[in-house]
PDB file of all heavy atoms in Angstrom:
ATOM      1  N   LEU A 214     100.386  55.127 133.175  1.00  0.00           N
ATOM      2  CA  LEU A 214     101.772  54.766 133.471  1.00  0.00           C
ATOM      3  C   LEU A 214     102.446  56.002 134.082  1.00  0.00           C
ATOM      4  O   LEU A 214     102.466  57.059 133.498  1.00  0.00           O
ATOM      5  CB  LEU A 214     102.536  54.338 132.200  1.00  0.00           C
ATOM      6  CG  LEU A 214     101.871  53.347 131.251  1.00  0.00           C
ATOM      7  CD1 LEU A 214     102.732  53.144 130.000  1.00  0.00           C
ATOM      8  CD2 LEU A 214     101.585  52.049 131.962  1.00  0.00           C
ATOM      9  N   VAL A 215     102.930  55.877 135.303  1.00  0.00           N
ATOM     10  CA  VAL A 215     103.524  57.018 135.968  1.00  0.00           C
ATOM     11  C   VAL A 215     104.853  56.587 136.649  1.00  0.00           C
ATOM     12  O   VAL A 215     104.924  55.515 137.260  1.00  0.00           O
ATOM     13  CB  VAL A 215     102.576  57.646 136.974  1.00  0.00           C
ATOM     14  CG1 VAL A 215     102.095  56.634 138.017  1.00  0.00           C
ATOM     15  CG2 VAL A 215     103.170  58.853 137.671  1.00  0.00           C
ATOM     16  N   SER A 216     105.853  57.400 136.539  1.00  0.00           N
ATOM     17  CA  SER A 216     107.153  57.112 137.146  1.00  0.00           C
ATOM     18  C   SER A 216     107.066  57.402 138.651  1.00  0.00           C
ATOM     19  O   SER A 216     106.168  58.068 139.169  1.00  0.00           O
ATOM     20  CB  SER A 216     108.240  57.965 136.505  1.00  0.00           C
ATOM     21  OG  SER A 216     108.013  59.322 136.780  1.00  0.00           O
ATOM     22  N   THR A 217     108.065  56.890 139.358  1.00  0.00           N
ATOM     23  CA  THR A 217     108.223  57.228 140.755  1.00  0.00           C
ATOM     24  C   THR A 217     109.484  58.108 140.897  1.00  0.00           C
ATOM     25  O   THR A 217     110.473  57.890 140.203  1.00  0.00           O
ATOM     26  CB  THR A 217     108.394  55.946 141.598  1.00  0.00           C
ATOM     27  OG1 THR A 217     109.459  55.166 141.055  1.00  0.00           O
ATOM     28  CG2 THR A 217     107.106  55.171 141.612  1.00  0.00           C
ATOM     29  N   ARG A 218     109.332  59.087 141.746  1.00  0.00           N
ATOM     30  CA  ARG A 218     110.456  60.057 141.849  1.00  0.00           C
ATOM     31  C   ARG A 218     111.441  59.709 142.937  1.00  0.00           C
ATOM     32  O   ARG A 218     111.185  58.875 143.821  1.00  0.00           O
ATOM     33  CB  ARG A 218     109.885  61.483 142.104  1.00  0.00           C
ATOM     34  CG  ARG A 218     109.195  61.632 143.426  1.00  0.00           C
ATOM     35  CD  ARG A 218     108.841  63.088 143.687  1.00  0.00           C
ATOM     36  NE  ARG A 218     108.043  63.226 144.898  1.00  0.00           N
ATOM     37  CZ  ARG A 218     108.551  63.324 146.122  1.00  0.00           C
ATOM     38  NH1 ARG A 218     109.894  63.238 146.284  1.00  0.00           N
ATOM     39  NH2 ARG A 218     107.790  63.464 147.196  1.00  0.00           N
ATOM     40  N   ALA A 219     112.589  60.370 142.854  1.00  0.00           N
ATOM     41  CA  ALA A 219     113.554  60.251 143.892  1.00  0.00           C
ATOM     42  C   ALA A 219     113.122  61.011 145.152  1.00  0.00           C
ATOM     43  O   ALA A 219     112.352  61.962 145.075  1.00  0.00           O
ATOM     44  CB  ALA A 219     114.916  60.815 143.439  1.00  0.00           C
ATOM     45  N   PRO A 220     113.610  60.613 146.339  1.00  0.00           N
ATOM     46  CA  PRO A 220     113.231  61.340 147.554  1.00  0.00           C
ATOM     47  C   PRO A 220     113.937  62.679 147.635  1.00  0.00           C
ATOM     48  O   PRO A 220     115.039  62.857 147.095  1.00  0.00           O
ATOM     49  CB  PRO A 220     113.670  60.431 148.665  1.00  0.00           C
ATOM     50  CG  PRO A 220     114.832  59.634 148.074  1.00  0.00           C
ATOM     51  CD  PRO A 220     114.467  59.437 146.624  1.00  0.00           C
ATOM     52  N   THR A 221     113.315  63.626 148.330  1.00  0.00           N
ATOM     53  CA  THR A 221     114.015  64.858 148.646  1.00  0.00           C
ATOM     54  C   THR A 221     115.045  64.549 149.752  1.00  0.00           C
ATOM     55  O   THR A 221     115.060  63.409 150.306  1.00  0.00           O
ATOM     56  CB  THR A 221     113.054  65.925 149.160  1.00  0.00           C
ATOM     57  OG1 THR A 221     112.440  65.450 150.379  1.00  0.00           O
ATOM     58  CG2 THR A 221     111.946  66.209 148.146  1.00  0.00           C
ATOM     59  N   ARG A 222     115.843  65.511 150.110  1.00  0.00           N
ATOM     60  CA  ARG A 222     116.880  65.278 151.133  1.00  0.00           C
ATOM     61  C   ARG A 222     116.215  64.871 152.464  1.00  0.00           C
ATOM     62  O   ARG A 222     116.651  63.985 153.158  1.00  0.00           O
ATOM     63  CB  ARG A 222     117.738  66.517 151.317  1.00  0.00           C
ATOM     64  CG  ARG A 222     118.834  66.330 152.365  1.00  0.00           C
ATOM     65  CD  ARG A 222     119.783  67.491 152.329  1.00  0.00           C
ATOM     66  NE  ARG A 222     120.541  67.487 151.112  1.00  0.00           N
ATOM     67  CZ  ARG A 222     121.627  66.732 150.852  1.00  0.00           C
ATOM     68  NH1 ARG A 222     122.038  65.901 151.782  1.00  0.00           N
ATOM     69  NH2 ARG A 222     122.261  66.822 149.705  1.00  0.00           N
ATOM     70  N   GLU A 223     115.129  65.586 152.815  1.00  0.00           N
ATOM     71  CA  GLU A 223     114.425  65.252 154.085  1.00  0.00           C
ATOM     72  C   GLU A 223     113.838  63.833 154.002  1.00  0.00           C
ATOM     73  O   GLU A 223     113.886  63.072 154.998  1.00  0.00           O
ATOM     74  CB  GLU A 223     113.369  66.272 154.385  1.00  0.00           C
ATOM     75  CG  GLU A 223     113.906  67.660 154.679  1.00  0.00           C
ATOM     76  CD  GLU A 223     114.381  68.397 153.485  1.00  0.00           C
ATOM     77  OE1 GLU A 223     114.057  67.987 152.355  1.00  0.00           O
ATOM     78  OE2 GLU A 223     115.138  69.423 153.623  1.00  0.00           O
ATOM     79  N   GLU A 224     113.232  63.491 152.870  1.00  0.00           N
ATOM     80  CA  GLU A 224     112.670  62.165 152.748  1.00  0.00           C
ATOM     81  C   GLU A 224     113.731  61.090 152.773  1.00  0.00           C
ATOM     82  O   GLU A 224     113.526  60.000 153.340  1.00  0.00           O
ATOM     83  CB  GLU A 224     111.841  62.092 151.440  1.00  0.00           C
ATOM     84  CG  GLU A 224     110.596  62.956 151.459  1.00  0.00           C
ATOM     85  CD  GLU A 224     109.957  63.093 150.093  1.00  0.00           C
ATOM     86  OE1 GLU A 224     110.638  62.819 149.090  1.00  0.00           O
ATOM     87  OE2 GLU A 224     108.793  63.533 150.009  1.00  0.00           O
ATOM     88  N   TRP A 225     114.837  61.372 152.152  1.00  0.00           N
ATOM     89  CA  TRP A 225     115.934  60.377 152.160  1.00  0.00           C
ATOM     90  C   TRP A 225     116.458  60.168 153.588  1.00  0.00           C
ATOM     91  O   TRP A 225     116.743  59.044 153.977  1.00  0.00           O
ATOM     92  CB  TRP A 225     117.076  60.861 151.240  1.00  0.00           C
ATOM     93  CG  TRP A 225     118.215  59.917 151.230  1.00  0.00           C
ATOM     94  CD1 TRP A 225     118.382  58.816 150.477  1.00  0.00           C
ATOM     95  CD2 TRP A 225     119.417  60.031 152.023  1.00  0.00           C
ATOM     96  NE1 TRP A 225     119.606  58.225 150.728  1.00  0.00           N
ATOM     97  CE2 TRP A 225     120.269  58.930 151.655  1.00  0.00           C
ATOM     98  CE3 TRP A 225     119.879  60.930 152.996  1.00  0.00           C
ATOM     99  CZ2 TRP A 225     121.485  58.749 152.298  1.00  0.00           C
ATOM    100  CZ3 TRP A 225     121.083  60.735 153.586  1.00  0.00           C
ATOM    101  CH2 TRP A 225     121.910  59.636 153.211  1.00  0.00           C
ATOM    102  N   GLN A 226     116.558  61.261 154.354  1.00  0.00           N
ATOM    103  CA  GLN A 226     116.993  61.096 155.751  1.00  0.00           C
ATOM    104  C   GLN A 226     116.015  60.280 156.537  1.00  0.00           C
ATOM    105  O   GLN A 226     116.393  59.462 157.381  1.00  0.00           O
ATOM    106  CB  GLN A 226     117.178  62.503 156.346  1.00  0.00           C
ATOM    107  CG  GLN A 226     118.360  63.260 155.766  1.00  0.00           C
ATOM    108  CD  GLN A 226     118.430  64.705 156.277  1.00  0.00           C
ATOM    109  OE1 GLN A 226     117.467  65.208 156.842  1.00  0.00           O
ATOM    110  NE2 GLN A 226     119.544  65.398 155.979  1.00  0.00           N
ATOM    111  N   TRP A 227     114.686  60.471 156.273  1.00  0.00           N
ATOM    112  CA  TRP A 227     113.676  59.668 156.946  1.00  0.00           C
ATOM    113  C   TRP A 227     113.831  58.173 156.592  1.00  0.00           C
ATOM    114  O   TRP A 227     113.760  57.298 157.465  1.00  0.00           O
ATOM    115  CB  TRP A 227     112.300  60.146 156.522  1.00  0.00           C
ATOM    116  CG  TRP A 227     111.143  59.307 157.084  1.00  0.00           C
ATOM    117  CD1 TRP A 227     110.567  59.389 158.290  1.00  0.00           C
ATOM    118  CD2 TRP A 227     110.537  58.194 156.429  1.00  0.00           C
ATOM    119  NE1 TRP A 227     109.618  58.418 158.425  1.00  0.00           N
ATOM    120  CE2 TRP A 227     109.548  57.651 157.287  1.00  0.00           C
ATOM    121  CE3 TRP A 227     110.705  57.588 155.174  1.00  0.00           C
ATOM    122  CZ2 TRP A 227     108.780  56.563 156.951  1.00  0.00           C
ATOM    123  CZ3 TRP A 227     109.905  56.527 154.797  1.00  0.00           C
ATOM    124  CH2 TRP A 227     108.958  56.014 155.681  1.00  0.00           C
ATOM    125  N   GLU A 228     114.091  57.899 155.318  1.00  0.00           N
ATOM    126  CA  GLU A 228     114.291  56.516 154.875  1.00  0.00           C
ATOM    127  C   GLU A 228     115.493  55.902 155.609  1.00  0.00           C
ATOM    128  O   GLU A 228     115.423  54.718 156.009  1.00  0.00           O
ATOM    129  CB  GLU A 228     114.481  56.452 153.383  1.00  0.00           C
ATOM    130  CG  GLU A 228     113.268  56.728 152.571  1.00  0.00           C
ATOM    131  CD  GLU A 228     113.501  56.593 151.087  1.00  0.00           C
ATOM    132  OE1 GLU A 228     114.535  56.014 150.699  1.00  0.00           O
ATOM    133  OE2 GLU A 228     112.684  57.105 150.294  1.00  0.00           O
ATOM    134  N   GLN A 229     116.579  56.680 155.745  1.00  0.00           N
ATOM    135  CA  GLN A 229     117.719  56.121 156.397  1.00  0.00           C
ATOM    136  C   GLN A 229     117.424  55.753 157.865  1.00  0.00           C
ATOM    137  O   GLN A 229     117.843  54.700 158.358  1.00  0.00           O
ATOM    138  CB  GLN A 229     118.908  57.128 156.334  1.00  0.00           C
ATOM    139  CG  GLN A 229     119.421  57.365 154.920  1.00  0.00           C
ATOM    140  CD  GLN A 229     119.889  56.117 154.229  1.00  0.00           C
ATOM    141  OE1 GLN A 229     119.252  55.590 153.324  1.00  0.00           O
ATOM    142  NE2 GLN A 229     120.990  55.588 154.700  1.00  0.00           N
ATOM    143  N   ARG A 230     116.703  56.630 158.526  1.00  0.00           N
ATOM    144  CA  ARG A 230     116.319  56.330 159.923  1.00  0.00           C
ATOM    145  C   ARG A 230     115.436  55.086 159.989  1.00  0.00           C
ATOM    146  O   ARG A 230     115.626  54.267 160.933  1.00  0.00           O
ATOM    147  CB  ARG A 230     115.641  57.554 160.553  1.00  0.00           C
ATOM    148  CG  ARG A 230     116.506  58.778 160.750  1.00  0.00           C
ATOM    149  CD  ARG A 230     115.823  59.754 161.627  1.00  0.00           C
ATOM    150  NE  ARG A 230     114.587  60.257 161.066  1.00  0.00           N
ATOM    151  CZ  ARG A 230     114.500  61.369 160.313  1.00  0.00           C
ATOM    152  NH1 ARG A 230     115.639  62.045 160.015  1.00  0.00           N
ATOM    153  NH2 ARG A 230     113.316  61.774 159.832  1.00  0.00           N
TER     154      ARG A 230
END
Side-chain angles (χ1 to χ4, degrees):
L214 313 177
V215 57
S216 66
T217 53
R218 65 172 175 84
T221 63
R222 180 170 295 278
E223 292 75 16
E224 291 168 344
W225 179 83
Q226 291 172 348
W227 175 85
E228 289 181 16
Q229 295 302 108
R230 291 193 299 268

